[in-house]
């Protein structure tokens, strides 16, 4: 059975371990703190951004979190024509005028991040973005990036197939 992160056929790939994730989260949070930006709410881009966003909430001491569900990747190097917002939707009434940090695992094409940023700014929020990885192909340069790479990334939370 093939699954989203099945990269066994790829020889060139970036592998993030759980220990590496801990280091990456702290260093990414340090960038946010050093910038002076003080988010009041952290928004995870589900699913890939859920764990990085959770780590950022603790590292930044931010208790208010939410998630926005977007589907784009369907397999290794396979995407839908455009990113699609999925229900349930974010509580948009509570974000107007807030400082939001949108967190995702990777800005690959940047189209998902661009969609989310535009949507949230449309509700009057001051929005910044943080990702663990950014690819050279991204059309949206995130405000905070832990590492740049052009390789396929294997994350510790998606490196094994779903349980049957």
């Amino acid at each position: 059975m093939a699954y989203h992160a099945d990269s066994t056929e790829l020889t060139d790939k970036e592998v993030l371990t759980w220990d590496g994730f801990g280091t990456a989260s702290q260093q990414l949070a340090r960038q946010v703190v050093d910038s002076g930006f003080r988010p009041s709410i952290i928004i995870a881009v589900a699913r890939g951004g859920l764990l990085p966003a959770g780590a950022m909430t603790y590292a930044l001491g931010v208790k208010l979190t939410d998630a926005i569900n977007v589907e784009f990747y369907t397999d290794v190097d396979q995407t839908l024509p455009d990113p699609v917002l999925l229900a349930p939707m974010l509580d948009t009434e509570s974000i107007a005028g807030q400082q939001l940090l949108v967190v995702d695992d990777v800005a690959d094409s940047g189209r998902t991040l661009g969609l989310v940023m535009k949507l949230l700014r449309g509700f009057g929020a001051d929005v910044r973005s943080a990702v663990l990885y950014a690819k050279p192909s991204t059309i949206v340069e995130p405000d905070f990036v832990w590492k740049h790479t052009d390789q396929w990334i294997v994350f510790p939370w998606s490196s094994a197939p779903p349980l049957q």
Side-chain angles (χ1 to χ4, degrees), residues 26-96:
Q26 287 294 308
Q27 291 176 354
L28 189 59
R30 172 53 56 200
Q31 288 181 37
V32 176
V33 168
D34 289 350
S35 77
F37 183 66
R38 300 289 180 256
S40 50
I41 305 171
I42 293 180
I43 307 292
V45 178
R47 291 184 309 177
L50 288 170
L51 275 80
M56 295 292 282
T57 65
Y58 283 98
L60 297 173
V62 176
K63 291 188 177 186
L64 296 177
T65 65
D66 209 333
I68 189 162
N69 296 285
V70 182
E71 182 177 29
F72 192 35
Y73 270 88
T74 58
D75 204 340
V76 175
D77 292 330
Q78 291 183 349
T79 65
L80 297 172
D82 291 298
V84 177
L85 292 173
L86 303 173
M89 297 303 278
L90 183 69
D91 176 10
T92 53
E93 288 182 19
S94 65
I95 64 173

Side-chain angles (χ1 to χ4, degrees), residues 5-13 76-77 151-154:
D6 187 2
S7 60
T8 52
E9 301 298 314
L10 296 179
T11 54
D12 242 9
K13 56 190 168 189
V76 175
D77 292 330
Q151 296 181 333
W152 178 258
I153 305 151
V154 179

Side-chain angles (χ1 to χ4, degrees), residues 136-161:
S137 57
T138 186
I139 60 170
V140 174
E141 184 61 36
D143 296 287
F144 309 103
V145 178
W146 176 64
K147 188 174 182 183
H148 291 83
T149 185
D150 61 356
Q151 296 181 333
W152 178 258
I153 305 151
V154 179
F155 293 99
W157 51 85
S158 61
S159 60

